[in-house]
Amino acid sequence: MPLSDSDLRARVRSVLPGIRKDLEDLVRIQSVSADPARAGEVQRSAEAVRALFEAEGFDAAITSAEGGGPAVIARKNGPEGAPTVLLYAHHDVQPENDHADWDSPPWEPTERDGRLFARGAADDKAGIAAHLAAARIFGDDLPVNVVMFIEGEEEVGSETLVPLLRQHHDELAADVIVIADSGNWDIGVPALTTSLRGLVRVDIEVRTLTHAVHSGMWGGLVPDALIALSRLIASLHDDRGNVAVAGLGSGPAADVDYPEERLRAESGAVPGLEWIGDGSAVERLWTRPALSITGLDAPKVEGASNTLVPSARARISMRVAPGDTTDNALACLRKHLESHLPWGAELAFAVVDTGEATAIDAEGPAYDAARAAFTTAWDGTEPIDMGVGGSIPFIAEFLRAFPKASVLVTGVEDPDTRAHGANEGLHLAEFERVILAEALLLQNLANGA
């Protein structure tokens, strides 16, 4: 018999203290996958995750592919003939960076004003904890077959995810895949993430000279590389701030109001800053291309000599709209740069990395089950379909590997989570709702909702 909503809520409250302790123990493990010196911590994190699911009766193992980070795959069966649900999260975390920027130690979970602060408290060890809580709520009476897939290299690009999915394809095959690595629209407003932009990063070098020369002797005749690079960078946007690279895709976004005061508060914009581009705020953030310069190699101002700089480099980070491809974006960007290179300068173009955009057709029984679960967990507030301007390229890999599965992108984050930054924090009341929603979802899926 399915559990009533009130029974599920009571069970959530009963497991929460233990789940929070488990989460805090995980957070204390410094599983920074980008830091080779902490590879042992990443391994220790995987072992801790495996132990947590083994304690719940899962058949759990640590695995990796082609030297990649340690992942945990765990399985526990429900009734015969029940659907199979894959629950994804990742146990590796971002570097904590300067401890002085944190209001409390980044590896010691600390509660303040209803939030739990620590690196990984939200992204994404809270995703692991939510999956663990849903399993613990049902104990040995899971309504569905559950497969846990807890990755260990998401924060460094999931470089071996494709071979890992291939290596464990049969073990990971599922009817529904829940990827808990996104967030909700606001405190008190749940969301399903239905689109994410892709990513293209390239390094360009502009060269005008074979060596530096005196600016007094040659200035006025010979262009320096910084001026040439500046003109090339300026060509990438029109006067209104729209990306001016021809041939890139774009599309409409959900009809969601993003209030001006919230945009300014969450972005950290300086007073008086004007937004760039045309269209609604959510279109510009979710379903249109964006382009930024995230790094420059050039002489420092302090100590700069009176010479013409012979070469200069820049890193271009371009977000690719859902429906477009990285191959098209790269081709369009390269064509634009080559055609706008001023004064006969030379251009070198090197691809750093790419990640495909994702657009999910969020219709069908699994999505109905999720929307019903979220609406109940948030006391009648229906979830919105939300886009994300950032990229989670591995979602496209799941869609390719399991084309018949329904993929739900959920998460524990909110607009003030500050994932990847100092003072990352988990909103504890919302975390409780996330747990309830996931338990409701599993039960709804079992009932064919």
Side-chain angles (χ1 to χ4, degrees), residues 418-447:
R418 305 186 191 185
H420 295 202
N423 297 311
E424 175 184 347
L426 172 69
H427 193 284
L428 293 169
E430 289 296 281
F431 180 54
E432 182 174 349
R433 293 182 187 274
V434 167
I435 293 171
L436 176 60
E438 186 157 303
L440 285 162
L441 171 61
L442 296 182
Q443 190 161 265
N444 288 351
L445 291 171
N447 296 333

PDB file of all heavy atoms in Angstrom, residues 418-447:
ATOM      1  N   ARG A 418      25.121  29.929  -3.722  1.00  0.00           N
ATOM      2  CA  ARG A 418      26.516  30.319  -3.950  1.00  0.00           C
ATOM      3  C   ARG A 418      27.413  29.112  -4.188  1.00  0.00           C
ATOM      4  O   ARG A 418      28.538  29.035  -3.681  1.00  0.00           O
ATOM      5  CB  ARG A 418      27.051  31.163  -2.788  1.00  0.00           C
ATOM      6  CG  ARG A 418      26.198  32.388  -2.496  1.00  0.00           C
ATOM      7  CD  ARG A 418      26.792  33.308  -1.459  1.00  0.00           C
ATOM      8  NE  ARG A 418      25.828  34.311  -1.044  1.00  0.00           N
ATOM      9  CZ  ARG A 418      26.086  35.317  -0.210  1.00  0.00           C
ATOM     10  NH1 ARG A 418      27.294  35.439   0.302  1.00  0.00           N
ATOM     11  NH2 ARG A 418      25.139  36.171   0.105  1.00  0.00           N
ATOM     12  N   ALA A 419      26.912  28.177  -4.955  1.00  0.00           N
ATOM     13  CA  ALA A 419      27.736  27.031  -5.336  1.00  0.00           C
ATOM     14  C   ALA A 419      28.973  27.528  -6.066  1.00  0.00           C
ATOM     15  O   ALA A 419      28.922  28.495  -6.827  1.00  0.00           O
ATOM     16  CB  ALA A 419      26.933  26.094  -6.230  1.00  0.00           C
ATOM     17  N   HIS A 420      30.100  26.902  -5.808  1.00  0.00           N
ATOM     18  CA  HIS A 420      31.417  27.213  -6.377  1.00  0.00           C
ATOM     19  C   HIS A 420      32.053  28.439  -5.730  1.00  0.00           C
ATOM     20  O   HIS A 420      33.240  28.705  -5.978  1.00  0.00           O
ATOM     21  CB  HIS A 420      31.374  27.417  -7.887  1.00  0.00           C
ATOM     22  CG  HIS A 420      30.999  26.190  -8.659  1.00  0.00           C
ATOM     23  ND1 HIS A 420      31.323  26.016  -9.990  1.00  0.00           N
ATOM     24  CD2 HIS A 420      30.338  25.066  -8.315  1.00  0.00           C
ATOM     25  CE1 HIS A 420      30.874  24.853 -10.417  1.00  0.00           C
ATOM     26  NE2 HIS A 420      30.257  24.262  -9.406  1.00  0.00           N
ATOM     27  N   GLY A 421      31.310  29.207  -4.966  1.00  0.00           N
ATOM     28  CA  GLY A 421      31.872  30.399  -4.354  1.00  0.00           C
ATOM     29  C   GLY A 421      32.058  30.229  -2.863  1.00  0.00           C
ATOM     30  O   GLY A 421      31.781  29.181  -2.280  1.00  0.00           O
ATOM     31  N   ALA A 422      32.559  31.288  -2.226  1.00  0.00           N
ATOM     32  CA  ALA A 422      32.676  31.291  -0.775  1.00  0.00           C
ATOM     33  C   ALA A 422      31.288  31.308  -0.146  1.00  0.00           C
ATOM     34  O   ALA A 422      30.329  31.822  -0.728  1.00  0.00           O
ATOM     35  CB  ALA A 422      33.475  32.501  -0.308  1.00  0.00           C
ATOM     36  N   ASN A 423      31.176  30.722   1.035  1.00  0.00           N
ATOM     37  CA  ASN A 423      29.923  30.676   1.791  1.00  0.00           C
ATOM     38  C   ASN A 423      28.811  29.949   1.040  1.00  0.00           C
ATOM     39  O   ASN A 423      27.639  30.349   1.071  1.00  0.00           O
ATOM     40  CB  ASN A 423      29.467  32.092   2.180  1.00  0.00           C
ATOM     41  CG  ASN A 423      30.460  32.767   3.102  1.00  0.00           C
ATOM     42  OD1 ASN A 423      30.886  32.182   4.093  1.00  0.00           O
ATOM     43  ND2 ASN A 423      30.861  33.982   2.760  1.00  0.00           N
ATOM     44  N   GLU A 424      29.190  28.869   0.372  1.00  0.00           N
ATOM     45  CA  GLU A 424      28.168  27.979  -0.196  1.00  0.00           C
ATOM     46  C   GLU A 424      27.275  27.484   0.926  1.00  0.00           C
ATOM     47  O   GLU A 424      27.753  27.089   1.995  1.00  0.00           O
ATOM     48  CB  GLU A 424      28.854  26.794  -0.885  1.00  0.00           C
ATOM     49  CG  GLU A 424      27.882  25.748  -1.398  1.00  0.00           C
ATOM     50  CD  GLU A 424      28.576  24.537  -2.003  1.00  0.00           C
ATOM     51  OE1 GLU A 424      29.795  24.614  -2.256  1.00  0.00           O
ATOM     52  OE2 GLU A 424      27.907  23.521  -2.211  1.00  0.00           O
ATOM     53  N   GLY A 425      25.962  27.509   0.686  1.00  0.00           N
ATOM     54  CA  GLY A 425      25.057  27.147   1.761  1.00  0.00           C
ATOM     55  C   GLY A 425      23.812  26.417   1.280  1.00  0.00           C
ATOM     56  O   GLY A 425      23.274  26.703   0.210  1.00  0.00           O
ATOM     57  N   LEU A 426      23.365  25.486   2.087  1.00  0.00           N
ATOM     58  CA  LEU A 426      22.157  24.706   1.833  1.00  0.00           C
ATOM     59  C   LEU A 426      21.020  25.250   2.676  1.00  0.00           C
ATOM     60  O   LEU A 426      21.132  25.336   3.908  1.00  0.00           O
ATOM     61  CB  LEU A 426      22.408  23.233   2.178  1.00  0.00           C
ATOM     62  CG  LEU A 426      21.196  22.298   2.144  1.00  0.00           C
ATOM     63  CD1 LEU A 426      20.709  22.106   0.714  1.00  0.00           C
ATOM     64  CD2 LEU A 426      21.542  20.952   2.787  1.00  0.00           C
ATOM     65  N   HIS A 427      19.901  25.608   2.035  1.00  0.00           N
ATOM     66  CA  HIS A 427      18.715  26.067   2.762  1.00  0.00           C
ATOM     67  C   HIS A 427      18.029  24.835   3.350  1.00  0.00           C
ATOM     68  O   HIS A 427      17.489  23.996   2.625  1.00  0.00           O
ATOM     69  CB  HIS A 427      17.779  26.815   1.823  1.00  0.00           C
ATOM     70  CG  HIS A 427      16.710  27.586   2.519  1.00  0.00           C
ATOM     71  ND1 HIS A 427      15.606  26.987   3.081  1.00  0.00           N
ATOM     72  CD2 HIS A 427      16.579  28.924   2.763  1.00  0.00           C
ATOM     73  CE1 HIS A 427      14.827  27.913   3.618  1.00  0.00           C
ATOM     74  NE2 HIS A 427      15.396  29.098   3.440  1.00  0.00           N
ATOM     75  N   LEU A 428      18.048  24.708   4.660  1.00  0.00           N
ATOM     76  CA  LEU A 428      17.637  23.457   5.300  1.00  0.00           C
ATOM     77  C   LEU A 428      16.146  23.173   5.158  1.00  0.00           C
ATOM     78  O   LEU A 428      15.751  22.008   4.983  1.00  0.00           O
ATOM     79  CB  LEU A 428      18.038  23.485   6.776  1.00  0.00           C
ATOM     80  CG  LEU A 428      19.559  23.456   7.010  1.00  0.00           C
ATOM     81  CD1 LEU A 428      19.889  23.759   8.462  1.00  0.00           C
ATOM     82  CD2 LEU A 428      20.139  22.111   6.594  1.00  0.00           C
ATOM     83  N   ALA A 429      15.314  24.199   5.198  1.00  0.00           N
ATOM     84  CA  ALA A 429      13.870  23.961   5.035  1.00  0.00           C
ATOM     85  C   ALA A 429      13.565  23.484   3.617  1.00  0.00           C
ATOM     86  O   ALA A 429      12.725  22.592   3.418  1.00  0.00           O
ATOM     87  CB  ALA A 429      13.086  25.234   5.356  1.00  0.00           C
ATOM     88  N   GLU A 430      14.237  24.050   2.624  1.00  0.00           N
ATOM     89  CA  GLU A 430      14.038  23.595   1.250  1.00  0.00           C
ATOM     90  C   GLU A 430      14.584  22.192   1.059  1.00  0.00           C
ATOM     91  O   GLU A 430      14.023  21.386   0.307  1.00  0.00           O
ATOM     92  CB  GLU A 430      14.705  24.564   0.265  1.00  0.00           C
ATOM     93  CG  GLU A 430      14.020  25.905   0.146  1.00  0.00           C
ATOM     94  CD  GLU A 430      12.616  25.790  -0.411  1.00  0.00           C
ATOM     95  OE1 GLU A 430      12.454  25.643  -1.630  1.00  0.00           O
ATOM     96  OE2 GLU A 430      11.659  25.860   0.392  1.00  0.00           O
ATOM     97  N   PHE A 431      15.676  21.870   1.732  1.00  0.00           N
ATOM     98  CA  PHE A 431      16.242  20.522   1.660  1.00  0.00           C
ATOM     99  C   PHE A 431      15.222  19.491   2.139  1.00  0.00           C
ATOM    100  O   PHE A 431      15.074  18.413   1.548  1.00  0.00           O
ATOM    101  CB  PHE A 431      17.509  20.468   2.507  1.00  0.00           C
ATOM    102  CG  PHE A 431      18.194  19.131   2.528  1.00  0.00           C
ATOM    103  CD1 PHE A 431      18.555  18.492   1.360  1.00  0.00           C
ATOM    104  CD2 PHE A 431      18.504  18.521   3.746  1.00  0.00           C
ATOM    105  CE1 PHE A 431      19.203  17.253   1.387  1.00  0.00           C
ATOM    106  CE2 PHE A 431      19.148  17.298   3.784  1.00  0.00           C
ATOM    107  CZ  PHE A 431      19.492  16.660   2.602  1.00  0.00           C
ATOM    108  N   GLU A 432      14.481  19.801   3.178  1.00  0.00           N
ATOM    109  CA  GLU A 432      13.439  18.896   3.669  1.00  0.00           C
ATOM    110  C   GLU A 432      12.369  18.692   2.605  1.00  0.00           C
ATOM    111  O   GLU A 432      11.892  17.564   2.387  1.00  0.00           O
ATOM    112  CB  GLU A 432      12.822  19.460   4.949  1.00  0.00           C
ATOM    113  CG  GLU A 432      11.762  18.558   5.552  1.00  0.00           C
ATOM    114  CD  GLU A 432      11.247  19.049   6.912  1.00  0.00           C
ATOM    115  OE1 GLU A 432      11.868  19.980   7.476  1.00  0.00           O
ATOM    116  OE2 GLU A 432      10.246  18.501   7.403  1.00  0.00           O
ATOM    117  N   ARG A 433      12.000  19.755   1.903  1.00  0.00           N
ATOM    118  CA  ARG A 433      11.007  19.631   0.834  1.00  0.00           C
ATOM    119  C   ARG A 433      11.551  18.786  -0.320  1.00  0.00           C
ATOM    120  O   ARG A 433      10.808  18.006  -0.929  1.00  0.00           O
ATOM    121  CB  ARG A 433      10.611  21.016   0.322  1.00  0.00           C
ATOM    122  CG  ARG A 433       9.842  21.867   1.335  1.00  0.00           C
ATOM    123  CD  ARG A 433       9.452  23.192   0.695  1.00  0.00           C
ATOM    124  NE  ARG A 433       8.853  24.121   1.634  1.00  0.00           N
ATOM    125  CZ  ARG A 433       7.564  24.150   1.940  1.00  0.00           C
ATOM    126  NH1 ARG A 433       6.739  23.278   1.387  1.00  0.00           N
ATOM    127  NH2 ARG A 433       7.100  25.035   2.795  1.00  0.00           N
ATOM    128  N   VAL A 434      12.834  18.962  -0.630  1.00  0.00           N
ATOM    129  CA  VAL A 434      13.445  18.171  -1.706  1.00  0.00           C
ATOM    130  C   VAL A 434      13.369  16.681  -1.378  1.00  0.00           C
ATOM    131  O   VAL A 434      13.053  15.848  -2.243  1.00  0.00           O
ATOM    132  CB  VAL A 434      14.907  18.610  -1.919  1.00  0.00           C
ATOM    133  CG1 VAL A 434      15.661  17.603  -2.793  1.00  0.00           C
ATOM    134  CG2 VAL A 434      14.966  19.997  -2.556  1.00  0.00           C
ATOM    135  N   ILE A 435      13.655  16.328  -0.140  1.00  0.00           N
ATOM    136  CA  ILE A 435      13.597  14.923   0.280  1.00  0.00           C
ATOM    137  C   ILE A 435      12.177  14.389   0.142  1.00  0.00           C
ATOM    138  O   ILE A 435      11.949  13.298  -0.404  1.00  0.00           O
ATOM    139  CB  ILE A 435      14.099  14.778   1.720  1.00  0.00           C
ATOM    140  CG1 ILE A 435      15.598  15.095   1.793  1.00  0.00           C
ATOM    141  CG2 ILE A 435      13.817  13.373   2.253  1.00  0.00           C
ATOM    142  CD1 ILE A 435      16.127  15.184   3.212  1.00  0.00           C
ATOM    143  N   LEU A 436      11.196  15.155   0.643  1.00  0.00           N
ATOM    144  CA  LEU A 436       9.807  14.725   0.541  1.00  0.00           C
ATOM    145  C   LEU A 436       9.400  14.562  -0.919  1.00  0.00           C
ATOM    146  O   LEU A 436       8.740  13.574  -1.292  1.00  0.00           O
ATOM    147  CB  LEU A 436       8.896  15.738   1.238  1.00  0.00           C
ATOM    148  CG  LEU A 436       7.388  15.476   1.126  1.00  0.00           C
ATOM    149  CD1 LEU A 436       7.013  14.124   1.717  1.00  0.00           C
ATOM    150  CD2 LEU A 436       6.600  16.608   1.806  1.00  0.00           C
ATOM    151  N   ALA A 437       9.807  15.501  -1.766  1.00  0.00           N
ATOM    152  CA  ALA A 437       9.450  15.435  -3.180  1.00  0.00           C
ATOM    153  C   ALA A 437      10.026  14.185  -3.830  1.00  0.00           C
ATOM    154  O   ALA A 437       9.348  13.533  -4.642  1.00  0.00           O
ATOM    155  CB  ALA A 437       9.947  16.685  -3.905  1.00  0.00           C
ATOM    156  N   GLU A 438      11.255  13.834  -3.490  1.00  0.00           N
ATOM    157  CA  GLU A 438      11.853  12.656  -4.108  1.00  0.00           C
ATOM    158  C   GLU A 438      11.158  11.378  -3.643  1.00  0.00           C
ATOM    159  O   GLU A 438      10.935  10.456  -4.432  1.00  0.00           O
ATOM    160  CB  GLU A 438      13.348  12.586  -3.807  1.00  0.00           C
ATOM    161  CG  GLU A 438      14.035  11.464  -4.557  1.00  0.00           C
ATOM    162  CD  GLU A 438      15.519  11.705  -4.729  1.00  0.00           C
ATOM    163  OE1 GLU A 438      15.902  12.741  -5.305  1.00  0.00           O
ATOM    164  OE2 GLU A 438      16.289  10.832  -4.303  1.00  0.00           O
ATOM    165  N   ALA A 439      10.803  11.312  -2.360  1.00  0.00           N
ATOM    166  CA  ALA A 439      10.065  10.148  -1.869  1.00  0.00           C
ATOM    167  C   ALA A 439       8.709  10.041  -2.556  1.00  0.00           C
ATOM    168  O   ALA A 439       8.279   8.957  -2.972  1.00  0.00           O
ATOM    169  CB  ALA A 439       9.898  10.237  -0.346  1.00  0.00           C
ATOM    170  N   LEU A 440       8.016  11.160  -2.694  1.00  0.00           N
ATOM    171  CA  LEU A 440       6.728  11.171  -3.388  1.00  0.00           C
ATOM    172  C   LEU A 440       6.895  10.745  -4.848  1.00  0.00           C
ATOM    173  O   LEU A 440       6.065  10.014  -5.398  1.00  0.00           O
ATOM    174  CB  LEU A 440       6.112  12.559  -3.318  1.00  0.00           C
ATOM    175  CG  LEU A 440       5.506  12.969  -1.958  1.00  0.00           C
ATOM    176  CD1 LEU A 440       5.335  14.480  -1.906  1.00  0.00           C
ATOM    177  CD2 LEU A 440       4.156  12.265  -1.748  1.00  0.00           C
ATOM    178  N   LEU A 441       7.970  11.205  -5.470  1.00  0.00           N
ATOM    179  CA  LEU A 441       8.223  10.867  -6.865  1.00  0.00           C
ATOM    180  C   LEU A 441       8.385   9.369  -7.038  1.00  0.00           C
ATOM    181  O   LEU A 441       7.790   8.764  -7.943  1.00  0.00           O
ATOM    182  CB  LEU A 441       9.467  11.589  -7.370  1.00  0.00           C
ATOM    183  CG  LEU A 441       9.981  11.170  -8.744  1.00  0.00           C
ATOM    184  CD1 LEU A 441       8.924  11.435  -9.823  1.00  0.00           C
ATOM    185  CD2 LEU A 441      11.283  11.891  -9.075  1.00  0.00           C
ATOM    186  N   LEU A 442       9.190   8.738  -6.183  1.00  0.00           N
ATOM    187  CA  LEU A 442       9.394   7.303  -6.295  1.00  0.00           C
ATOM    188  C   LEU A 442       8.073   6.554  -6.145  1.00  0.00           C
ATOM    189  O   LEU A 442       7.788   5.604  -6.887  1.00  0.00           O
ATOM    190  CB  LEU A 442      10.396   6.819  -5.245  1.00  0.00           C
ATOM    191  CG  LEU A 442      11.828   7.356  -5.358  1.00  0.00           C
ATOM    192  CD1 LEU A 442      12.711   6.748  -4.290  1.00  0.00           C
ATOM    193  CD2 LEU A 442      12.413   7.118  -6.742  1.00  0.00           C
ATOM    194  N   GLN A 443       7.254   6.999  -5.221  1.00  0.00           N
ATOM    195  CA  GLN A 443       5.971   6.346  -5.012  1.00  0.00           C
ATOM    196  C   GLN A 443       5.032   6.599  -6.194  1.00  0.00           C
ATOM    197  O   GLN A 443       4.316   5.697  -6.641  1.00  0.00           O
ATOM    198  CB  GLN A 443       5.344   6.860  -3.712  1.00  0.00           C
ATOM    199  CG  GLN A 443       4.135   6.079  -3.263  1.00  0.00           C
ATOM    200  CD  GLN A 443       3.813   6.297  -1.797  1.00  0.00           C
ATOM    201  OE1 GLN A 443       4.235   5.521  -0.940  1.00  0.00           O
ATOM    202  NE2 GLN A 443       3.067   7.341  -1.500  1.00  0.00           N
ATOM    203  N   ASN A 444       5.047   7.821  -6.713  1.00  0.00           N
ATOM    204  CA  ASN A 444       4.197   8.121  -7.872  1.00  0.00           C
ATOM    205  C   ASN A 444       4.600   7.300  -9.087  1.00  0.00           C
ATOM    206  O   ASN A 444       3.736   6.819  -9.846  1.00  0.00           O
ATOM    207  CB  ASN A 444       4.294   9.607  -8.217  1.00  0.00           C
ATOM    208  CG  ASN A 444       3.579  10.506  -7.213  1.00  0.00           C
ATOM    209  OD1 ASN A 444       2.867  10.026  -6.344  1.00  0.00           O
ATOM    210  ND2 ASN A 444       3.788  11.800  -7.333  1.00  0.00           N
ATOM    211  N   LEU A 445       5.902   7.120  -9.281  1.00  0.00           N
ATOM    212  CA  LEU A 445       6.382   6.335 -10.419  1.00  0.00           C
ATOM    213  C   LEU A 445       5.955   4.881 -10.287  1.00  0.00           C
ATOM    214  O   LEU A 445       5.623   4.219 -11.279  1.00  0.00           O
ATOM    215  CB  LEU A 445       7.904   6.442 -10.545  1.00  0.00           C
ATOM    216  CG  LEU A 445       8.440   7.804 -10.959  1.00  0.00           C
ATOM    217  CD1 LEU A 445       9.963   7.835 -10.821  1.00  0.00           C
ATOM    218  CD2 LEU A 445       8.029   8.138 -12.395  1.00  0.00           C
ATOM    219  N   ALA A 446       5.964   4.369  -9.051  1.00  0.00           N
ATOM    220  CA  ALA A 446       5.540   2.999  -8.832  1.00  0.00           C
ATOM    221  C   ALA A 446       4.064   2.821  -9.150  1.00  0.00           C
ATOM    222  O   ALA A 446       3.633   1.738  -9.603  1.00  0.00           O
ATOM    223  CB  ALA A 446       5.810   2.598  -7.384  1.00  0.00           C
ATOM    224  N   ASN A 447       3.294   3.877  -8.921  1.00  0.00           N
ATOM    225  CA  ASN A 447       1.855   3.808  -9.152  1.00  0.00           C
ATOM    226  C   ASN A 447       1.468   4.169 -10.584  1.00  0.00           C
ATOM    227  O   ASN A 447       0.277   4.248 -10.906  1.00  0.00           O
ATOM    228  CB  ASN A 447       1.123   4.761  -8.190  1.00  0.00           C
ATOM    229  CG  ASN A 447       1.315   4.345  -6.744  1.00  0.00           C
ATOM    230  OD1 ASN A 447       1.526   3.165  -6.451  1.00  0.00           O
ATOM    231  ND2 ASN A 447       1.255   5.305  -5.824  1.00  0.00           N
TER     232      ASN A 447
END
